Amino acid sequence: MRTISNLDLLVNRDWLNQMHCRTMQLLAMAGRCTPAVDLLMYRALEPTHDIHHHCHARQEDRWSYPCHYVNEEDLGLLGLAVDSTPKVDLADAAAFLRAAIDADRPVSFYAPRGHFDFWVDRMRRDGTRPDEYFLLHSFMCCGITADAREVLIVDTTSAGNLHPFVVAFDVFTSAYPADPDRWFLICQSLRQFRATPDVGAIETRYIDWLDGFRDGFEVYDVIADSFAGERDRFPEWYRRPSLNSLVLLAGSRDFFRRFLAHTTHDAGIVSAFAANADLLVTLLDETTRLQNGMSATSADELRGMLAAMKSRERQALRALQTDLRRLTAGRRSGRLLRPSGDRNGDTR
């Protein structure tokens, strides 16, 4: 089988599984291309009112949340272009996939996930509702045999790791005719057109974003008021608004701490954001255990932790914005970013 090179550099950076599947894949592709991938996270500090609206007001799951990072414009600042094909017919699919692999580029496409055995096994283990088995999922192809009888799909496991799965092309040919409009949709790959990131442009965008960022962090009050009764209202764990909110909060803060590690911000402030990201993971774990009747933490203790987290977020943001004014006094750029790091680095 012919595969892309450097498969080991294709790693899942979304370890909390908060992102839409395609966004996660584009981030993994970007990390394979450049060690500056963490610079994409300059505005990963998701506004909590957006998270509240998505998870609580609309009761949407976390994977459909439209995160404000890993978009085509910001990828362009890293020297990466998104090449997209709206639809590929079955007759052209093998040649299309082979062309991407020959160009040494992973390529993602949408298809109903219920036709892939490894996804069916995962959904059974995760307790996915049967009526959701055939929702669209983004599959990332990283290899194909010369006779096009097998393809290599790299996808996440329940544990969050990217893993290679060999899939027979017969899976495509047998399922496609009954549902052709839902196969090989929005096929995307990344093309590197510049070897180094536009650090100045990223720095300017970060300054403008942080200078205008406002948040009261009231979502922690909403979670405190709602988490206790969610298990009965939402039997499927992945539908519970408080858990989805906490995953998005913890994941976005983890991404943002990775960006801050490449800045010249005060070390104490950077450490405070890192500590907040870690504490949010603890809050997520405790909320999950409590909803499942497995936690020694009481509901009132958890509410106290949420109130403390709200205070910590406010303090950290205030300190960061004050430090930004210090660093940019009399000068708009060139003092904030120091891009470095290895491709597989994880600053957790």
Side-chain angles (χ1 to χ4, degrees):
M1 178 180 290
R2 181 180 176 86
T3 68
I4 61 168
S5 64
N6 299 319
L7 262 172
D8 60 313
L9 297 182
L10 201 64
V11 297
N12 181 18
R13 295 170 183 271
D14 177 25
W15 68 283
L16 281 169
N17 189 22
Q18 69 167 88
M19 287 180 158
H20 185 275
C21 50
R22 175 60 60 83
T23 307
M24 178 278 294
Q25 291 165 1
L26 288 174
L27 182 59
M29 292 180 195
R32 175 177 172 266
C33 293
T34 173
V37 64
D38 287 342
L39 297 186
L40 286 173
M41 304 306 171
Y42 70 89
R43 56 175 176 170
L45 198 66
E46 287 291 337
T48 63
H49 51 80
D50 289 354
I51 292 175
H52 164 260
H53 179 74
H54 182 85
C55 297
H56 293 267
R58 297 182 58 189
Q59 296 187 357
E60 299 281 351
D61 64 52
R62 62 185 185 261
W63 299 295
S64 62
Y65 180 79
C67 65
H68 296 87
Y69 40 95
V70 195
N71 55 67
E72 292 192 30
E73 193 172 348
D74 287 344
L75 285 165
L77 297 181
L78 292 190
L80 301 171
V82 180
D83 288 342
S84 187
T85 301
K87 173 79 170 79
V88 174
D89 293 330
L90 178 62
D92 303 320
F96 177 83
L97 296 176
R98 183 179 294 110
I101 302 308
D102 287 345
D104 200 26
R105 291 158 58 181
V107 60
S108 292
F109 61 88
Y110 285 104
R113 60 188 181 179
H115 296 293
F116 295 76
D117 288 344
F118 68 90
W119 253 100
V120 173
D121 290 342
R122 174 178 174 175
M123 289 187 289
R124 286 172 178 163
R125 290 194 304 270
D126 290 351
T128 303
R129 292 194 332 228
D131 62 320
E132 297 179 351
Y133 272 30
F134 287 89
L135 294 177
L136 292 182
H137 176 70
S138 180
F139 292 92
M140 183 166 55
C141 178
C142 296
I144 187 168
T145 57
D147 57 8
R149 290 189 176 183
E150 292 179 332
V151 297
L152 185 70
I153 299 294
V154 175
D155 209 338
T156 52
T157 64
S158 295
N161 303 312
L162 280 177
H163 183 80
F165 298 91
V166 175
V167 177
F169 204 85
D170 285 347
V171 171
F172 305 160
T173 56
S174 62
Y176 183 97
D179 205 6
D181 293 337
R182 302 181 74 230
W183 273 88
F184 302 117
L185 301 178
I186 315 177
C187 308
Q188 292 183 322
S189 62
L190 288 187
R191 170 173 44 83
Q192 189 166 21
F193 63 86
R194 190 179 61 242
T196 57
D198 188 343
V199 175
I202 296 171
E203 182 172 298
T204 297
R205 290 193 179 192
Y206 169 64
I207 292 170
D208 291 343
W209 167 80
L210 183 57
D211 187 57
F213 187 79
R214 301 291 183 271
D215 201 325
F217 302 101
E218 288 86 357
V219 71
Y220 293 104
D221 301 327
V222 176
I223 296 171
D225 291 340
S226 61
F227 72 83
E230 286 183 354
R231 183 180 182 184
D232 293 334
R233 293 168 49 218
F234 303 93
E236 294 84 17
W237 60 269
Y238 54 88
R239 294 293 183 196
R240 296 173 190 170
S242 293
L243 293 187
N244 280 320
S245 294
L246 286 169
V247 172
L248 287 169
L249 288 164
S252 63
R253 274 61 182 159
D254 183 66
F255 282 135
F256 191 60
R257 67 116 67 102
R258 299 185 198 188
F259 168 79
L260 288 180
H262 299 281
T263 71
T264 58
H265 276 297
D266 179 83
I269 296 172
V270 174
S271 295
F273 274 88
N276 285 354
D278 291 337
L279 285 170
L280 274 164
V281 174
T282 299
L283 265 174
L284 171 63
D285 290 343
E286 288 302 317
T287 304
T288 303
R289 292 190 188 102
L290 192 145
Q291 287 189 345
N292 293 330
M294 300 170 59
S295 176
T297 301
S298 69
D300 284 342
E301 288 173 328
L302 187 57
R303 293 187 182 98
M305 294 168 66
L306 288 162
M309 192 70 242
K310 176 181 177 180
S311 178
R312 290 179 65 97
E313 287 251 63
R314 283 179 165 176
Q315 292 172 8
L317 176 60
R318 191 160 49 241
L320 187 67
Q321 290 176 324
T322 299
D323 197 49
L324 177 70
R325 290 190 288 272
R326 173 185 68 84
L327 289 169
T328 58
R331 185 178 177 183
R332 286 292 291 172
S333 63
R335 299 178 61 183
L336 268 168
L337 295 185
R338 47 181 183 218
S340 62
D342 69 86
R343 297 173 187 269
N344 289 316
D346 188 342
T347 58
R348 284 187 287 118

